[in-house]
Amino acid sequence: MLLAVLLLGSIFATSECYFSEENFTEESKMQLPTVVIAIIARNAAHSLPYYLGALERLNYPKDRISIWAATDHNSDNTTAVLREWLTIMQKHYHYIEWRPMDKPLSYPGELGPKHWPNGRYEYLMKLKQGALTFAKKRWADYILYADTDNILTNPETLNLMMAENKSVVAPMLDSQSAYSNFWCGITPQGYYRRTAEYFPTVHRHRQGCFPVPMVHSTMLLDLRKEGPKRLAFHPPHKDYSWPFDDIIVFAFSCRASEVQMYICNKERYGYLNVPAKPHQTVEDDRINFVHLYTESLVDGPPMYFSGYVHQELKQTDTMGFDEIYLINLRRRPERRERMMWSLYELGINAKVVDAVDGGALNSTDIKVLGVDLLPGYHDPFSGRTLTKGEVGCFLSHYYIWKEMVDMQLDKALILEDDVRFQGNFKRRLLRLMDEVEKVELDWDIIYLGRKQVKPEDEEVVENVRNLVVAGYSYWTLSYAISLQGAQKLINAEPLSKMLPVDEFLPIMYDKHPNEGHKSHFPNRNLQAYSTRPLLVQPAQYAGDPDWVSDTETSTLWDDDSVRTDWRGSQKTLKGTPQAGLNSAYRDEL
Ligand SMILES: *[C@@H]1O[C@H](CO)[C@@H](O)[C@H](O)[C@H]1NC(C)=O
Ligand SMILES: *[C@@H]1O[C@H](CO)[C@@H](O)[C@H](O)[C@H]1NC(C)=O
Ligand SMILES: *[C@@H]1O[C@H](CO)[C@@H](O)[C@H](O)[C@H]1NC(C)=O
Ligand SMILES: *[C@@H]1O[C@H](CO)[C@@H](O)[C@H](O)[C@H]1NC(C)=O
């Protein structure tokens, strides 16, 4: 009997162990907190595809997110774009609340879509309050406000902000200027106050999450905490006497409720577009956004288009030039791609020309092409002679001048593939060329990007804004060239007395300091001008982490065995050349 009990017991014990260990089901995971994302869009058709693309990519389960989206007072395609996206995305998100309003197109008393009468502030406050009320009614744990020109390129942004465990926290967003989505100081009247902390924060010289009196545009509220229960966008607090502005009203509400706002800049989270001024237009907003976009391609991280909105083909043209040439080395496809995307967004139609790859030429090929060194030429900084990269670069420009002459093109624009466009590039260039035409300026080349060798006063051109007579300059990043200019350069027969193309041009307009070099070119009558300020900059300077030079890192033109690697030669450094810097750079290598 005892034995039977023991036996039974052991069988029971075995089977219990069997179930509890091998067939044990783990406790299921916690679901992540629920979030409402508030989308309030007006005239945002230009940024929405990137904005929505970033929301799609947030690394957070969509079934834990509800979207509250409102749009109104639009004169562009915002409603259609947003509707299209929401229709497709509704199966992924937990819930979508959609509040479009087709009419009216503007607010009473509005001078333009960038103008802010009080009625507009009030309406926006009510919308933000509406989203907050919605989130509270649905017991959402968080609400994320994100303006539609804020592009959250970092897919971890939501998780990172949650991890800070703050009532109100904003990811610091980068713009094309020092503008960002926080203030470090506020005046007793509720206006922006500049403080010593602002720039070190914006430039991430100090990093962390900092208490600040104002965050706006994109921010996360933790609705599980006590403090945010008391926050409101509308109506303003009963003691409110500061300016009637939605972001200031909310900052005051935080202050009155003793809720601290925080700005975090530990990582890069995304971008915000500098908004156009009240007297400007939606087109200005779009132009600013294009600049932000082209900058994101240079400095990264890039923005991505939503896969779920219809892409309208953009209009591109050649800005009145007969041709726009983009010089690109085939083995640098990433640069070509970046430039083509930038040009497309800028509305510019360029023809890619394959650069002559100096690195693929040997000294025999170079001689067969009729290239010979300018007698006595040495790089003024390193003392070396020409590199194969420089030969390739010269030939690339030369063949374009030749094509212009062969095809009798009146004027062309030449771009190298490592440029960064200044804001409003297209409009500024169009205006310049228009004024040049109006005053019937006789011009051969106009630099859009260059390095002025000596900071000296250059003669201003009368009746053309932002144009000077060019002094000694380096670089051939970008310039406009006339048929007459191309003809003069070809007539000089430069292949048989070659020096770098950016030294050749100043010789031809007679501003080169080296009399010996100049003596080989008797007709130095090129009429050279430059925009001021410049319209393009190099994408990278020597010494920048991503800097690559196909002209300086090469081999000597007539000796395939001598490798040159003048990383950080004076020419490619930022700023004006200074003696001694070059050797310091070389010592580092
Ligand atoms: C327990 O696990 C074993 C092995 O994994 C499996 O063969 C058996 O069917 C499971 N029993 C039950 C009741 O799930
Ligand atoms: C507006 O957007 C919709 C949806 O994305 C698209 O089908 C339509 O072609 C767009 N219209 C214009 C004028 O851009
Ligand atoms: C988050 O903050 C609350 C106070 O608001 C605190 O009680 C809680 O422990 C914090 N959670 C974590 C994970 O630090
Ligand atoms: C240079 O390259 C060409 C082919 O491009 C080849 O025929 C020639 O032999 C090469 N010369 C030398 C010196 O390597």
Side-chain angles (χ1 to χ4, degrees), residues 63-124:
D63 61 4
R64 305 296 288 169
I65 297 178
S66 294
I67 303 274
W68 187 96
T71 188
D72 49 83
H73 297 93
N74 292 301
S75 51
D76 71 2
N77 206 14
T78 296
T79 311
V81 174
L82 207 45
R83 177 180 288 124
E84 182 183 27
W85 187 77
L86 291 170
T87 306
I88 295 169
M89 297 308 283
Q90 64 182 347
K91 60 176 176 288
H92 301 295
Y93 288 107
H94 174 67
Y95 178 78
I96 283 176
E97 178 94 355
W98 172 225
R99 304 190 169 194
M101 190 166 87
D102 286 334
K103 290 230 160 60
L105 300 187
S106 61
Y107 289 94
E110 194 182 72
L111 303 176
K114 298 306 298 173
H115 177 232
W116 287 79
N118 276 356
R120 178 170 179 188
Y121 281 119
E122 179 152 26
Y123 190 70
L124 185 56

Coordinates of all heavy atoms in Angstrom, one line a residue, residues 63-124:
D63 N -0.5 49.5 -34.1 CA -1.8 49.2 -33.4 C -1.8 49.7 -32.0 O -2.8 49.6 -31.3 CB -2.1 47.7 -33.4 CG -1.0 46.8 -32.7 OD1 -0.1 47.4 -32.1 OD2 -1.1 45.6 -32.7
R64 N -0.8 50.4 -31.5 CA -0.8 51.1 -30.3 C -0.9 52.6 -30.5 O -0.7 53.4 -29.5 CB 0.5 50.7 -29.4 CG 0.7 49.3 -29.2 CD -0.4 48.6 -28.4 NE -0.4 49.0 -27.0 CZ -1.4 48.8 -26.1 NH1 -2.5 48.2 -26.5 NH2 -1.2 49.2 -24.9
I65 N -1.0 53.0 -31.7 CA -1.1 54.4 -32.1 C -2.5 54.7 -32.7 O -2.9 54.0 -33.6 CB 0.0 54.8 -33.1 CG1 1.4 54.5 -32.5 CG2 -0.1 56.2 -33.5 CD1 2.6 54.8 -33.4
S66 N -3.1 55.8 -32.2 CA -4.2 56.4 -32.9 C -3.8 57.7 -33.5 O -2.9 58.4 -32.9 CB -5.4 56.6 -31.9 OG -5.9 55.4 -31.4
I67 N -4.4 58.0 -34.6 CA -4.1 59.3 -35.3 C -5.3 60.2 -35.2 O -6.4 59.8 -35.4 CB -3.8 59.0 -36.8 CG1 -2.7 58.0 -37.0 CG2 -3.5 60.4 -37.5 CD1 -1.3 58.6 -37.0
W68 N -5.0 61.4 -34.8 CA -6.0 62.5 -34.8 C -5.6 63.5 -35.8 O -4.5 64.1 -35.6 CB -6.1 63.1 -33.4 CG -7.3 64.0 -33.2 CD1 -8.5 63.8 -32.7 CD2 -7.2 65.5 -33.5 NE1 -9.3 64.9 -32.7 CE2 -8.5 66.0 -33.2 CE3 -6.3 66.3 -34.0 CZ2 -8.9 67.3 -33.4 CZ3 -6.6 67.7 -34.2 CH2 -7.9 68.1 -33.9
A69 N -6.3 63.6 -36.9 CA -5.8 64.5 -38.0 C -6.8 65.5 -38.4 O -8.0 65.2 -38.6 CB -5.4 63.6 -39.2
A70 N -6.4 66.8 -38.4 CA -7.3 67.8 -38.8 C -6.6 68.6 -39.9 O -5.4 68.8 -39.9 CB -7.7 68.7 -37.7
T71 N -7.4 69.1 -40.9 CA -6.9 70.0 -41.9 C -7.9 71.0 -42.3 O -9.1 70.7 -42.4 CB -6.2 69.3 -43.0 OG1 -5.5 70.3 -43.9 CG2 -7.2 68.5 -43.9
D72 N -7.5 72.2 -42.6 CA -8.5 73.3 -42.9 C -7.7 74.4 -43.6 O -6.5 74.5 -43.5 CB -9.1 73.8 -41.6 CG -8.1 74.1 -40.6 OD1 -7.5 75.2 -40.6 OD2 -7.7 73.2 -39.7
H73 N -8.5 75.4 -44.1 CA -8.0 76.6 -44.7 C -6.8 76.4 -45.7 O -5.8 77.1 -45.6 CB -7.5 77.6 -43.6 CG -8.6 78.0 -42.7 ND1 -9.0 77.3 -41.5 CD2 -9.5 79.0 -42.8 CE1 -10.0 77.9 -40.9 NE2 -10.3 79.0 -41.7
N74 N -7.0 75.4 -46.5 CA -5.9 75.0 -47.5 C -6.2 75.7 -48.8 O -7.3 75.7 -49.3 CB -5.9 73.5 -47.7 CG -5.4 72.8 -46.4 OD1 -4.3 73.1 -45.9 ND2 -6.2 71.9 -45.9
S75 N -5.1 76.1 -49.4 CA -5.2 76.6 -50.8 C -4.4 75.6 -51.7 O -4.2 75.8 -52.9 CB -4.7 78.0 -51.0 OG -3.4 78.1 -50.4
D76 N -3.8 74.6 -51.1 CA -3.1 73.5 -51.9 C -3.7 72.2 -51.7 O -4.9 72.1 -51.2 CB -1.6 73.6 -51.5 CG -1.3 73.0 -50.1 OD1 -2.3 72.6 -49.4 OD2 -0.2 73.0 -49.7
N77 N -3.0 71.1 -52.0 CA -3.5 69.8 -52.1 C -3.4 69.0 -50.8 O -3.5 67.8 -50.8 CB -2.8 69.0 -53.2 CG -3.6 67.9 -53.8 OD1 -4.8 67.9 -53.6 ND2 -2.9 67.1 -54.6
T78 N -3.3 69.7 -49.7 CA -3.1 69.1 -48.4 C -4.1 68.0 -48.0 O -3.9 66.9 -47.7 CB -3.0 70.1 -47.3 OG1 -1.8 70.9 -47.5 CG2 -2.9 69.5 -45.9
T79 N -5.4 68.4 -48.2 CA -6.5 67.5 -47.8 C -6.5 66.2 -48.6 O -6.6 65.1 -48.0 CB -7.9 68.2 -48.0 OG1 -7.8 69.5 -47.5 CG2 -9.0 67.4 -47.4
A80 N -6.2 66.3 -49.9 CA -6.2 65.1 -50.7 C -5.0 64.2 -50.3 O -5.2 63.0 -50.3 CB -6.1 65.5 -52.2
V81 N -3.9 64.8 -50.1 CA -2.7 64.0 -49.7 C -2.9 63.3 -48.4 O -2.7 62.1 -48.3 CB -1.4 64.9 -49.7 CG1 -0.2 64.1 -49.2 CG2 -1.1 65.5 -51.0
L82 N -3.4 64.0 -47.4 CA -3.6 63.4 -46.1 C -4.7 62.4 -46.2 O -4.6 61.3 -45.6 CB -4.0 64.6 -45.2 CG -3.7 64.4 -43.7 CD1 -2.3 63.9 -43.4 CD2 -3.9 65.8 -43.0
R83 N -5.8 62.6 -46.9 CA -6.9 61.7 -47.0 C -6.4 60.4 -47.6 O -6.7 59.3 -47.2 CB -8.0 62.3 -47.8 CG -9.2 61.2 -48.0 CD -10.3 61.8 -48.8 NE -11.1 62.8 -48.1 CZ -11.3 64.0 -48.5 NH1 -10.8 64.5 -49.6 NH2 -12.0 64.9 -47.7
E84 N -5.6 60.5 -48.7 CA -5.1 59.3 -49.4 C -4.2 58.5 -48.4 O -4.4 57.3 -48.3 CB -4.2 59.8 -50.5 CG -3.6 58.6 -51.4 CD -2.7 59.1 -52.5 OE1 -2.1 60.2 -52.3 OE2 -2.6 58.4 -53.5
W85 N -3.4 59.1 -47.6 CA -2.5 58.4 -46.7 C -3.3 57.7 -45.6 O -3.1 56.6 -45.3 CB -1.5 59.4 -46.1 CG -0.5 58.7 -45.2 CD1 0.6 58.1 -45.7 CD2 -0.4 58.7 -43.8 NE1 1.4 57.6 -44.6 CE2 0.8 58.0 -43.5 CE3 -1.2 59.2 -42.8 CZ2 1.2 57.8 -42.1 CZ3 -0.8 59.0 -41.5 CH2 0.3 58.3 -41.2
L86 N -4.3 58.5 -45.0 CA -5.1 57.9 -43.9 C -5.9 56.8 -44.4 O -6.1 55.8 -43.6 CB -6.0 59.0 -43.3 CG -5.2 60.2 -42.6 CD1 -6.2 61.3 -42.3 CD2 -4.6 59.7 -41.3
T87 N -6.4 56.8 -45.6 CA -7.2 55.7 -46.1 C -6.4 54.4 -46.2 O -6.9 53.4 -45.8 CB -7.8 56.1 -47.5 OG1 -8.4 57.4 -47.4 CG2 -8.7 55.1 -48.0
I88 N -5.2 54.6 -46.6 CA -4.4 53.4 -46.7 C -3.9 52.9 -45.3 O -3.9 51.7 -45.0 CB -3.2 53.6 -47.6 CG1 -3.7 53.9 -49.1 CG2 -2.2 52.4 -47.6 CD1 -2.6 54.4 -50.0
M89 N -3.6 53.9 -44.5 CA -3.0 53.5 -43.2 C -4.0 53.1 -42.1 O -3.6 52.6 -41.1 CB -2.1 54.7 -42.7 CG -1.0 55.1 -43.6 SD 0.1 53.7 -44.0 CE 1.0 53.6 -42.5
Q90 N -5.3 53.3 -42.4 CA -6.2 53.0 -41.3 C -6.2 51.6 -40.8 O -6.5 51.3 -39.7 CB -7.6 53.5 -41.6 CG -8.3 52.8 -42.8 CD -9.6 53.4 -43.1 OE1 -10.2 54.2 -42.3 NE2 -10.2 53.1 -44.2
K91 N -5.8 50.7 -41.7 CA -5.8 49.3 -41.3 C -4.6 48.9 -40.4 O -4.6 47.9 -39.8 CB -5.8 48.3 -42.6 CG -4.7 48.5 -43.5 CD -4.8 47.4 -44.6 CE -3.8 47.6 -45.7 NZ -4.0 48.8 -46.5
H92 N -3.6 49.8 -40.4 CA -2.5 49.6 -39.6 C -2.6 50.2 -38.2 O -2.2 49.7 -37.2 CB -1.2 50.1 -40.3 CG -1.0 49.4 -41.6 ND1 -0.7 48.1 -41.7 CD2 -1.0 49.9 -42.8 CE1 -0.6 47.8 -43.0 NE2 -0.7 48.9 -43.7
Y93 N -3.1 51.5 -38.2 CA -3.2 52.2 -36.9 C -4.4 51.7 -36.1 O -5.4 51.2 -36.7 CB -3.3 53.7 -37.1 CG -1.9 54.2 -37.6 CD1 -1.7 54.7 -38.9 CD2 -0.9 54.3 -36.7 CE1 -0.5 55.2 -39.3 CE2 0.4 54.8 -37.0 CZ 0.6 55.3 -38.4 OH 1.8 55.7 -38.7
H94 N -4.4 51.9 -34.8 CA -5.5 51.4 -33.9 C -6.8 52.1 -34.3 O -7.8 51.5 -34.4 CB -5.1 51.7 -32.5 CG -6.2 51.5 -31.5 ND1 -6.6 50.2 -31.3 CD2 -7.0 52.3 -30.8 CE1 -7.6 50.2 -30.4 NE2 -7.8 51.5 -30.1
Y95 N -6.7 53.4 -34.5 CA -7.9 54.2 -34.8 C -7.5 55.5 -35.5 O -6.4 56.0 -35.2 CB -8.6 54.5 -33.5 CG -9.9 55.3 -33.7 CD1 -11.1 54.8 -34.1 CD2 -9.9 56.7 -33.4 CE1 -12.2 55.5 -34.3 CE2 -11.0 57.5 -33.6 CZ -12.2 56.9 -34.1 OH -13.3 57.6 -34.3
I96 N -8.3 56.0 -36.4 CA -8.0 57.3 -37.0 C -9.2 58.2 -36.9 O -10.4 57.8 -37.2 CB -7.6 57.1 -38.5 CG1 -6.2 56.5 -38.6 CG2 -7.8 58.4 -39.3 CD1 -5.7 56.2 -39.9
E97 N -9.0 59.4 -36.4 CA -10.0 60.4 -36.3 C -9.7 61.5 -37.4 O -8.6 62.1 -37.3 CB -10.0 61.0 -34.9 CG -11.0 62.2 -34.7 CD -12.3 61.7 -34.1 OE1 -12.5 60.5 -33.9 OE2 -13.1 62.6 -33.8
W98 N -10.6 61.7 -38.3 CA -10.2 62.6 -39.5 C -11.2 63.8 -39.5 O -12.4 63.6 -39.6 CB -10.4 61.7 -40.7 CG -10.3 62.3 -42.1 CD1 -11.1 62.1 -43.1 CD2 -9.3 63.3 -42.6 NE1 -10.7 62.8 -44.2 CE2 -9.6 63.5 -43.9 CE3 -8.2 63.9 -42.0 CZ2 -8.9 64.4 -44.7 CZ3 -7.5 64.8 -42.8 CH2 -7.8 65.0 -44.1
R99 N -10.6 65.0 -39.4 CA -11.4 66.2 -39.4 C -11.0 67.2 -40.5 O -10.4 68.2 -40.2 CB -11.3 66.8 -38.0 CG -11.6 65.9 -36.9 CD -11.7 66.7 -35.6 NE -12.3 65.9 -34.6 CZ -12.7 66.3 -33.5 NH1 -12.6 67.6 -33.2 NH2 -13.2 65.5 -32.6
P100 N -11.4 66.9 -41.7 CA -11.1 67.8 -42.8 C -12.1 68.9 -42.8 O -13.3 68.7 -42.5 CB -11.1 67.0 -44.0 CG -12.1 65.9 -43.7 CD -12.1 65.7 -42.2
M101 N -11.7 70.1 -43.3 CA -12.6 71.2 -43.5 C -12.2 71.9 -44.8 O -11.2 72.4 -44.9 CB -12.5 72.2 -42.3 CG -13.6 73.2 -42.3 SD -13.7 74.1 -40.7 CE -12.5 75.4 -41.0
D102 N -13.1 71.8 -45.8 CA -12.7 72.3 -47.1 C -12.8 73.8 -47.3 O -12.1 74.4 -48.0 CB -13.6 71.6 -48.2 CG -13.3 70.2 -48.4 OD1 -12.1 69.8 -48.2 OD2 -14.1 69.3 -48.8
K103 N -13.8 74.3 -46.6 CA -14.0 75.8 -46.7 C -14.1 76.4 -45.3 O -14.5 75.7 -44.4 CB -15.3 76.0 -47.5 CG -15.1 75.7 -49.0 CD -15.6 76.8 -49.8 CE -15.1 76.7 -51.3 NZ -15.4 75.5 -52.0
P104 N -13.8 77.7 -45.1 CA -13.2 78.6 -46.1 C -11.7 78.4 -46.3 O -11.2 77.5 -45.6 CB -13.4 80.0 -45.4 CG -13.4 79.6 -43.9 CD -14.0 78.2 -43.8
L105 N -11.2 79.1 -47.3 CA -9.8 78.9 -47.6 C -8.9 79.8 -46.7 O -7.7 79.5 -46.6 CB -9.5 79.2 -49.1 CG -10.3 78.4 -50.1 CD1 -9.8 78.7 -51.5 CD2 -10.1 76.9 -49.8
S106 N -9.5 80.8 -46.1 CA -8.6 81.7 -45.3 C -9.4 82.1 -44.0 O -10.6 82.0 -44.0 CB -8.1 82.8 -46.1 OG -9.2 83.6 -46.5
Y107 N -8.7 82.7 -43.1 CA -9.3 83.2 -41.9 C -9.8 84.7 -42.1 O -9.2 85.4 -42.9 CB -8.3 83.2 -40.7 CG -8.0 81.9 -40.2 CD1 -6.9 81.2 -40.7 CD2 -8.7 81.3 -39.2 CE1 -6.5 79.9 -40.2 CE2 -8.4 80.0 -38.7 CZ -7.3 79.3 -39.3 OH -7.0 78.1 -38.8
P108 N -10.8 85.1 -41.4 CA -11.2 86.5 -41.5 C -10.0 87.4 -41.2 O -9.3 87.2 -40.2 CB -12.3 86.7 -40.5 CG -12.7 85.3 -40.1 CD -11.6 84.4 -40.4
G109 N -9.8 88.4 -41.9 CA -8.7 89.4 -41.6 C -7.3 88.9 -42.0 O -6.3 89.6 -41.7
E110 N -7.2 87.8 -42.6 CA -5.9 87.2 -43.0 C -5.4 87.9 -44.2 O -6.0 88.1 -45.2 CB -6.1 85.7 -43.2 CG -4.8 85.0 -43.3 CD -5.1 83.5 -43.6 OE1 -5.4 83.2 -44.8 OE2 -5.0 82.7 -42.7
L111 N -4.1 88.4 -44.1 CA -3.5 89.1 -45.2 C -2.8 88.1 -46.2 O -2.4 88.5 -47.3 CB -2.4 90.1 -44.7 CG -2.9 91.1 -43.7 CD1 -1.8 92.0 -43.2 CD2 -4.0 92.0 -44.3
G112 N -2.7 86.9 -45.8 CA -2.1 85.8 -46.7 C -1.9 84.6 -45.8 O -2.1 84.6 -44.6
P113 N -1.7 83.4 -46.4 CA -1.7 82.2 -45.7 C -0.5 82.1 -44.6 O -0.6 81.2 -43.8 CB -1.5 81.1 -46.8 CG -1.0 81.8 -48.0 CD -1.4 83.2 -47.9
K114 N 0.4 83.0 -44.7 CA 1.5 82.9 -43.6 C 1.2 84.0 -42.5 O 2.0 84.1 -41.6 CB 2.9 83.2 -44.2 CG 3.3 82.1 -45.3 CD 3.2 80.7 -44.7 CE 4.1 80.5 -43.5 NZ 3.9 79.2 -42.9
H115 N 0.1 84.7 -42.7 CA -0.2 85.8 -41.7 C -1.0 85.1 -40.6 O -1.8 84.2 -40.8 CB -1.0 86.9 -42.4 CG -1.5 87.9 -41.5 ND1 -2.8 88.3 -41.5 CD2 -0.8 88.7 -40.6 CE1 -2.9 89.3 -40.6 NE2 -1.8 89.5 -40.0
W116 N -0.8 85.6 -39.4 CA -1.5 85.0 -38.2 C -2.4 86.1 -37.5 O -2.0 86.7 -36.5 CB -0.5 84.5 -37.2 CG 0.2 83.3 -37.6 CD1 1.2 83.1 -38.5 CD2 -0.1 81.9 -37.2 NE1 1.6 81.8 -38.7 CE2 0.8 81.1 -37.9 CE3 -1.0 81.4 -36.3 CZ2 0.7 79.7 -37.7 CZ3 -1.0 80.0 -36.1 CH2 -0.2 79.2 -36.8
P117 N -3.6 86.2 -37.9 CA -4.6 87.0 -37.1 C -5.0 86.2 -35.9 O -4.8 85.0 -35.8 CB -5.8 87.2 -38.1 CG -5.7 86.2 -39.1 CD -4.3 85.7 -39.1
N118 N -5.5 86.9 -34.9 CA -5.8 86.2 -33.6 C -6.8 85.1 -33.8 O -6.7 84.1 -33.1 CB -6.4 87.2 -32.6 CG -5.3 88.0 -31.9 OD1 -4.2 87.7 -32.0 ND2 -5.7 88.9 -31.0
G119 N -7.7 85.2 -34.8 CA -8.6 84.2 -35.0 C -7.9 82.9 -35.4 O -8.4 81.8 -35.1
R120 N -6.8 83.0 -36.1 CA -6.1 81.8 -36.5 C -5.4 81.1 -35.3 O -5.4 79.9 -35.2 CB -5.1 82.2 -37.6 CG -4.2 81.0 -38.0 CD -3.4 81.3 -39.2 NE -2.6 80.1 -39.5 CZ -1.6 80.2 -40.5 NH1 -1.4 81.3 -41.1 NH2 -0.9 79.1 -40.7
Y121 N -4.8 82.0 -34.5 CA -4.2 81.4 -33.2 C -5.3 80.7 -32.4 O -5.0 79.6 -31.9 CB -3.6 82.5 -32.4 CG -2.3 83.0 -32.9 CD1 -2.1 84.3 -33.3 CD2 -1.2 82.1 -32.9 CE1 -0.8 84.8 -33.7 CE2 0.1 82.6 -33.3 CZ 0.2 83.9 -33.7 OH 1.5 84.3 -34.1
E122 N -6.4 81.3 -32.3 CA -7.4 80.7 -31.5 C -7.9 79.4 -32.0 O -8.1 78.4 -31.3 CB -8.6 81.7 -31.3 CG -9.7 81.1 -30.5 CD -10.6 82.2 -29.8 OE1 -10.6 83.3 -30.3 OE2 -11.1 81.9 -28.7
Y123 N -8.1 79.4 -33.4 CA -8.5 78.1 -34.0 C -7.5 77.0 -33.8 O -7.9 75.9 -33.5 CB -8.8 78.4 -35.5 CG -9.5 77.2 -36.1 CD1 -10.9 76.9 -35.8 CD2 -8.9 76.4 -37.0 CE1 -11.5 75.8 -36.3 CE2 -9.5 75.3 -37.6 CZ -10.8 75.0 -37.2 OH -11.5 73.9 -37.8
L124 N -6.3 77.3 -33.9 CA -5.2 76.3 -33.7 C -5.2 75.8 -32.3 O -5.0 74.6 -32.0 CB -3.9 76.9 -34.1 CG -2.7 76.0 -34.1 CD1 -3.0 74.8 -35.0 CD2 -1.4 76.7 -34.6

